[in-house]
Amino acid sequence: MKAHSTAAAPAGNAGPRAVRGARWAAAAVVLGLALLAALPALGINQYYQNMLLLTFLFCVLGCGWNIMAGYAGYVSLGQSAFLGIGAYTAAILAVRWHLSPFLVAPLGGLVAAVFALAVGLVVLRTRGHSFVIITIALLFILQIVALNWPQLTNGSTGITLPLPPFKKPWQTAPFYWYMLALAALSVWLSAWIRRTKFGMGLIAIREDEDKAGIIGINTTLYKITAFMASVFFTGIAGGVYAYYLTFIDPIGMFNILLSVQTVLVTMLGGRGTVWGPVLGAFVLEPLNETSYAYFGSNQSHLVVFGLAMMLIVLFLPRGIIPTVGDWWAARTAAARGADGSAQAAAAAGTAPGAGAAGPRAAAAAVGEEDSA
Amino acid sequence: MRAILRVERLTKRFGGVHAVRECSFEVRQGSITGLIGPNGSGKTTVFNLITGMIPADDGRVIFAGQPIERLPRWERAHRGLARTFQITRLFREMTVLENVVAPLSRFSWRALAQSAVSGPERRRAMELLDFVGLSQLAHRKAGELSYGQQKLVEFAQVLMQEPKLILLDEPAGGVNPAMIDRLAGLVRELNRRGTTFLVVEHNMPMVMSLCDPVIVLARGSKIAEGSPKEVQNNPAVLDAYLGD
């Protein structure tokens, strides 16, 4: 958050160095994406391909959750509900219409957004903590509905999706690429929102919602729009995930653990930052898989989650990116101070000098405005 | 002169306490109107009711000829109503410049998709920061500024809305005397250019030199109104401040 707010502000008078920095960053992102996309063609083994695919899934979940929780400050524990909605939408439509789940997955995103709209209209008119409760409730209600509406969802039996037609060695590569694309789009959406007036309004809501309203920000509309944006790609990812698993049931699809892991991923990387969820996903998902590999498929990975959560709250309450960003800023400031450069002195001098120079500057400014 | 703001029989109860009781008054267009009264007389509650921070139990608020008491607060802002807070409220994690460009004077989907800090808005915000004498601090985090500087940033933020009426809640509270003079100067300057002010203030010298007329509240309703001189010599006012 910190790094981005400061990066956004001086953009207008950015020097050539900042422009060059932005170009390098863009180049690094494109290169990283190309590398990840090339991995299946380079013959990466199934185990790592699966791990990366799930990492991308958590990027999608985390980036989405971050729009609502990181930018607007509304924490939800129901991100996985929208994964389930997307999964069921795609599964039901694919089976009924005899279409590829890949084709109908985007409809899952739309249905998820409509759900978010309906929930948002009820709960986001007001402020405060009801949101987190309602999102947990939504998750469990959807699970109960999915269990008890067999005509639509096949109940506890679950739905078996059509078998993917892809041949070895490309069996899972299309899922990998689809999920990678969704992760990239999620990051793009999150970054785009962060740069816009909409994103600034969300941050204003997080900082002081009453004040945001007073200065003309339609807080209800912002929150509902943000909620819809935060679940859209998650809904699409649900369809892709369902197809990848080829079988879904209510317990697996409306799973609160996925929501908890989404929160964890984003908190670890840095809530409110664009890249936080990505970093968190790339750290936690491999950790998760490793704990499966070491301790077997029992509940021991929950202990790993619990420990990770505790460590984050204790030592990195703001997440990796803001903490490292601050440390870096302090370090460069100290280095500049040691240089004793005129620039640093001038920058520091503006703060105390402002009060004294103020009235004259103000008077001059008034004169200017009048003549203009 | 016509009234830009008319408050009619405004009422607000908190539990059994009447914070504001059938309060009625007018703010003349182009005036700097003072709103004074002893502690607990309902001044800030009146501000909260006018701006929509809290809903009124009863009564009407007519702004620029239209009833606004049922509108959400952002709608009221879009109509040209702005306020500052007794304890300055800025978005502390944002830069000073971001704080100043944050207000919206209308809603449009297209504007939402625009860059947060750009174009004419950015220029206007820098002008306003110049006006309050803080342009050197534009890229600092708002939370890092001194209290007086934060007050000035809030002032610039309010001006960004190009409001018709500005409600100032204790602009001189917790601010050093030099800053008070400066704030009063800015208010006069803006008033000269057509902005109307309604000022809640405890600093009597400031009220008496800045405001005309002055409205006096006690126990949630208006008990007096007039020029600073008239109000000062009104026995009911003396009674409200010193009595019981």
Short mmCIF file of all heavy atoms in Angstrom, two decimals, chain B residues 22 29 40 48 56 58 124 127 138-139 161 167 174 199 223 239:
data_model
loop_
_atom_site.label_atom_id
_atom_site.label_comp_id
_atom_site.label_asym_id
_atom_site.label_seq_id
_atom_site.Cartn_x
_atom_site.Cartn_y
_atom_site.Cartn_z
N GLU B 22 -36.18 21.33 17.95
CA GLU B 22 -36.93 22.28 17.12
C GLU B 22 -36.10 23.50 16.77
O GLU B 22 -36.53 24.63 16.94
CB GLU B 22 -38.22 22.69 17.84
CG GLU B 22 -39.05 21.48 18.25
CD GLU B 22 -40.54 21.72 18.08
OE1 GLU B 22 -40.95 22.89 18.14
OE2 GLU B 22 -41.27 20.73 17.85
N GLN B 29 -27.06 34.02 2.10
CA GLN B 29 -26.08 33.83 1.02
C GLN B 29 -25.02 34.92 1.10
O GLN B 29 -25.33 36.10 1.23
CB GLN B 29 -26.80 33.92 -0.31
CG GLN B 29 -25.89 33.93 -1.51
CD GLN B 29 -26.19 32.81 -2.46
OE1 GLN B 29 -27.34 32.47 -2.69
NE2 GLN B 29 -25.15 32.21 -3.00
N GLY B 40 -22.26 21.58 24.72
CA GLY B 40 -23.44 20.74 24.81
C GLY B 40 -24.71 21.42 24.31
O GLY B 40 -25.80 20.89 24.49
N ASN B 48 -23.77 17.94 12.08
CA ASN B 48 -23.91 16.54 11.66
C ASN B 48 -25.25 16.29 10.97
O ASN B 48 -25.34 15.48 10.04
CB ASN B 48 -23.75 15.61 12.86
CG ASN B 48 -22.30 15.52 13.31
OD1 ASN B 48 -21.39 15.86 12.55
ND2 ASN B 48 -22.09 15.10 14.55
N ALA B 56 -31.71 13.07 10.98
CA ALA B 56 -32.53 13.86 11.91
C ALA B 56 -33.77 13.06 12.30
O ALA B 56 -34.26 12.24 11.53
CB ALA B 56 -32.92 15.17 11.26
N ASP B 58 -36.51 14.72 13.13
CA ASP B 58 -37.61 15.53 12.62
C ASP B 58 -37.04 16.86 12.11
O ASP B 58 -35.93 17.23 12.46
CB ASP B 58 -38.62 15.79 13.75
CG ASP B 58 -40.01 16.03 13.17
OD1 ASP B 58 -40.14 16.06 11.93
OD2 ASP B 58 -40.96 16.17 13.96
N ARG B 124 -5.39 22.05 -10.18
CA ARG B 124 -6.26 22.77 -9.25
C ARG B 124 -5.86 22.49 -7.80
O ARG B 124 -5.79 23.39 -6.97
CB ARG B 124 -7.71 22.36 -9.52
CG ARG B 124 -8.69 22.74 -8.46
CD ARG B 124 -9.47 24.00 -8.81
NE ARG B 124 -10.37 24.35 -7.72
CZ ARG B 124 -10.36 25.51 -7.09
NH1 ARG B 124 -9.53 26.45 -7.45
NH2 ARG B 124 -11.20 25.75 -6.11
N GLU B 127 -2.81 24.34 -6.93
CA GLU B 127 -3.15 25.75 -6.70
C GLU B 127 -3.69 25.95 -5.29
O GLU B 127 -3.32 26.89 -4.59
CB GLU B 127 -4.22 26.20 -7.70
CG GLU B 127 -3.68 26.69 -9.03
CD GLU B 127 -4.81 26.91 -10.04
OE1 GLU B 127 -5.96 27.13 -9.60
OE2 GLU B 127 -4.54 26.83 -11.24
N ALA B 138 3.23 18.56 -0.64
CA ALA B 138 2.22 17.84 -1.43
C ALA B 138 2.42 16.33 -1.42
O ALA B 138 1.45 15.58 -1.41
CB ALA B 138 2.23 18.35 -2.87
N HIS B 139 3.67 15.88 -1.41
CA HIS B 139 3.90 14.44 -1.53
C HIS B 139 4.21 13.75 -0.21
O HIS B 139 4.57 12.59 -0.18
CB HIS B 139 5.01 14.18 -2.55
CG HIS B 139 4.66 14.70 -3.90
ND1 HIS B 139 3.53 14.30 -4.57
CD2 HIS B 139 5.25 15.63 -4.68
CE1 HIS B 139 3.44 14.95 -5.73
NE2 HIS B 139 4.48 15.77 -5.81
N GLN B 161 -13.98 20.92 -3.53
CA GLN B 161 -15.37 20.61 -3.89
C GLN B 161 -16.08 21.81 -4.49
O GLN B 161 -17.21 21.70 -4.90
CB GLN B 161 -16.15 20.18 -2.64
CG GLN B 161 -15.61 18.94 -1.96
CD GLN B 161 -16.36 18.62 -0.68
OE1 GLN B 161 -17.58 18.57 -0.65
NE2 GLN B 161 -15.64 18.44 0.41
N LEU B 167 -19.20 24.62 6.13
CA LEU B 167 -19.41 24.60 7.58
C LEU B 167 -18.05 24.35 8.24
O LEU B 167 -17.42 23.33 7.98
CB LEU B 167 -20.38 23.48 7.98
CG LEU B 167 -21.69 23.37 7.21
CD1 LEU B 167 -22.56 22.27 7.82
CD2 LEU B 167 -22.45 24.67 7.19
N GLY B 174 -7.21 24.26 18.89
CA GLY B 174 -5.92 23.59 18.92
C GLY B 174 -4.90 24.13 17.93
O GLY B 174 -3.96 23.45 17.56
N VAL B 199 -19.87 29.10 10.82
CA VAL B 199 -18.70 28.80 11.64
C VAL B 199 -19.10 28.51 13.08
O VAL B 199 -19.70 29.37 13.74
CB VAL B 199 -17.71 29.98 11.63
CG1 VAL B 199 -16.43 29.61 12.36
CG2 VAL B 199 -17.41 30.43 10.21
N ILE B 223 -31.48 30.79 20.63
CA ILE B 223 -32.01 31.71 21.62
C ILE B 223 -31.75 33.17 21.24
O ILE B 223 -32.37 34.07 21.80
CB ILE B 223 -31.44 31.45 23.03
CG1 ILE B 223 -29.90 31.53 23.01
CG2 ILE B 223 -31.88 30.11 23.57
CD1 ILE B 223 -29.31 31.73 24.40
N ASP B 239 -27.08 34.85 30.06
CA ASP B 239 -27.73 33.88 30.93
C ASP B 239 -27.36 32.45 30.53
O ASP B 239 -27.06 31.61 31.37
CB ASP B 239 -29.24 34.08 30.82
CG ASP B 239 -29.93 33.63 32.10
OD1 ASP B 239 -29.38 33.96 33.17
OD2 ASP B 239 -30.96 32.94 31.99
#
